[in-house]
Amino acid sequence: MKKVILSIFCVYCLTFQSAWAQDNNAALAPLPSLDDFTKGEDGWAFGLGLGVEYETAYEGSDEFGLELQPAGAVQWRSGDNIFYFAGEAFGWRGLRDDNWLLEALLGFEEGREEGDSDDGHLDGLGEQDEGFELVLQARRAFTSDWRYWLVGRVVTGGDGNLGLFGVGRRFGDQIDGTGHEVNVVAVFHDSEYANNGFGIDAMQAETSRLPATSVSGGLRSIGIDYSFRHYINDNWQIYGEALFEYYSSDVRESPIARSNYETEVGIGFIYIF
């Protein structure tokens, strides 16, 4: 759900507005964090790749590891709308009035297992159920070239609700979705979502020998994420991403949060057919 791909074109156009009108290869929105394999054309598009991520073992973990992740998606574009299937998610993305980017997707959440901690820090806490999550997102650009924007996201499912609000900045003049992007966000969760990740009920406290813990809703974390995307040639692209999330004091007090932060770094390649 994080890849944006299109060929580099019209870099030396006088203004973004004229390039947007003239370049048939323009991405739906020129954001490196979003994938667009359509090269500005209506119809089907397909990209396939592989990435490697170095990340925390679970939310709040102080254990890290490498994990291979598939990359790419099957997409269908019609004007300012893209429908896609990417891994375990079905979604839609649409551009409205050149400065509103809306997105909705239904994704699969794997949940947490006791075995996610090699050091046994989750022993006795039980398994969390797998399920589906609905994600709704909107970005509102301040300018037509998508240099700055506001972003809001809501994640809802069977385990509560999470909200994200922040600001973003794009670097570079490309309109094909390559370049660099940074977002600074504040993340909030309700009590159900908070306790699903960091709470310990009476039964879990008895089996794990950790103190019973209740986490209230509110601010979850402050975070920053970075995305990079670059064309190697007409078909191959390299992408990278990094995330740092610093937990609020309420989350940090949970015995499950053995670290004050969560971080992730990834890099990968995608081939566009």
Side-chain angles (χ1 to χ4, degrees), residues 169-185:
R169 168 74 155 90
R170 181 176 72 92
F171 300 88
D173 297 322
Q174 304 96 313
I175 62 174
D176 58 359
T178 61
H180 307 264
E181 172 189 325
V182 173
N183 292 273
V184 178
V185 300

Side-chain angles (χ1 to χ4, degrees), residues 109-202:
E109 174 58 41
E110 295 181 352
R112 187 184 68 197
E113 301 178 355
E114 292 186 1
D116 289 343
S117 172
D118 292 335
D119 296 335
H121 297 311
L122 298 176
D123 290 352
L125 295 179
E127 313 292 318
Q128 291 183 347
D129 294 336
E130 301 173 338
F132 288 93
E133 290 183 334
L134 176 65
V135 180
L136 304 174
Q137 178 170 272
R139 299 199 200 194
R140 173 62 165 84
F142 293 119
T143 58
S144 59
D145 61 356
W146 283 86
R147 184 67 59 201
Y148 302 93
W149 60 83
L150 295 174
V151 59
R153 181 187 306 156
V154 175
V155 181
T156 184
D159 297 315
N161 304 285
L162 178 141
L164 176 153
F165 306 94
V167 295
R169 168 74 155 90
R170 181 176 72 92
F171 300 88
D173 297 322
Q174 304 96 313
I175 62 174
D176 58 359
T178 61
H180 307 264
E181 172 189 325
V182 173
N183 292 273
V184 178
V185 300
V187 185
F188 301 84
H189 52 196
D190 62 16
S191 59
E192 182 179 358
Y193 198 100
N195 282 290
N196 183 65
F198 298 99
I200 302 173
D201 61 28

Side-chain angles (χ1 to χ4, degrees), residues 34-272:
L34 303 176
D35 51 10
D36 184 346
F37 306 141
T38 64
K39 299 185 178 180
E41 299 179 358
D42 286 356
W44 291 100
F46 180 59
L48 182 63
L50 186 67
V52 59
E53 295 180 352
Y54 182 73
E55 59 184 353
T56 51
Y58 57 90
E59 292 182 343
S61 173
D62 58 356
E63 303 169 56
F64 292 83
L66 291 172
E67 183 176 356
L68 292 176
Q69 293 283 355
V74 178
Q75 300 176 340
W76 183 77
R77 181 166 179 170
S78 177
D80 288 335
N81 300 280
I82 291 179
F83 300 87
Y84 61 88
F85 169 68
E88 298 175 333
F90 294 90
W92 160 83
R93 188 179 300 140
L95 184 67
R96 298 295 180 268
D97 298 327
D98 290 336
N99 52 20
W100 277 101
L101 184 66
L102 308 177
E103 185 167 8
L105 67 91
L106 183 65
F108 184 75
E109 174 58 41
E110 295 181 352
R112 187 184 68 197
E113 301 178 355
E114 292 186 1
D116 289 343
S117 172
D118 292 335
D119 296 335
H121 297 311
L122 298 176
D123 290 352
L125 295 179
E127 313 292 318
Q128 291 183 347
D129 294 336
E130 301 173 338
F132 288 93
E133 290 183 334
L134 176 65
V135 180
L136 304 174
Q137 178 170 272
R139 299 199 200 194
R140 173 62 165 84
F142 293 119
T143 58
S144 59
D145 61 356
W146 283 86
R147 184 67 59 201
Y148 302 93
W149 60 83
L150 295 174
V151 59
R153 181 187 306 156
V154 175
V155 181
T156 184
D159 297 315
N161 304 285
L162 178 141
L164 176 153
F165 306 94
V167 295
R169 168 74 155 90
R170 181 176 72 92
F171 300 88
D173 297 322
Q174 304 96 313
I175 62 174
D176 58 359
T178 61
H180 307 264
E181 172 189 325
V182 173
N183 292 273
V184 178
V185 300
V187 185
F188 301 84
H189 52 196
D190 62 16
S191 59
E192 182 179 358
Y193 198 100
N195 282 290
N196 183 65
F198 298 99
I200 302 173
D201 61 28
M203 182 175 297
Q204 290 174 322
E206 182 177 350
T207 56
S208 67
R209 298 185 179 181
L210 295 173
T213 303
S214 179
V215 183
S216 60
L219 179 66
R220 168 192 171 94
S221 63
I222 300 295
I224 182 170
D225 66 76
Y226 164 80
S227 298
F228 164 74
R229 202 166 296 276
H230 176 70
Y231 255 110
I232 299 174
N233 54 38
D234 289 341
N235 297 100
W236 281 101
Q237 181 196 49
I238 184 174
Y239 68 89
E241 55 194 7
L243 166 71
F244 179 83
E245 182 180 5
Y246 187 77
Y247 293 128
S248 67
S249 58
D250 199 30
V251 172
R252 296 199 305 269
E253 291 174 357
S254 167
I256 296 176
R258 302 185 59 85
S259 176
N260 294 336
Y261 63 90
E262 179 179 354
T263 187
E264 174 185 322
V265 178
I267 190 171
F269 297 86
I270 297 179
Y271 183 85
I272 307 159

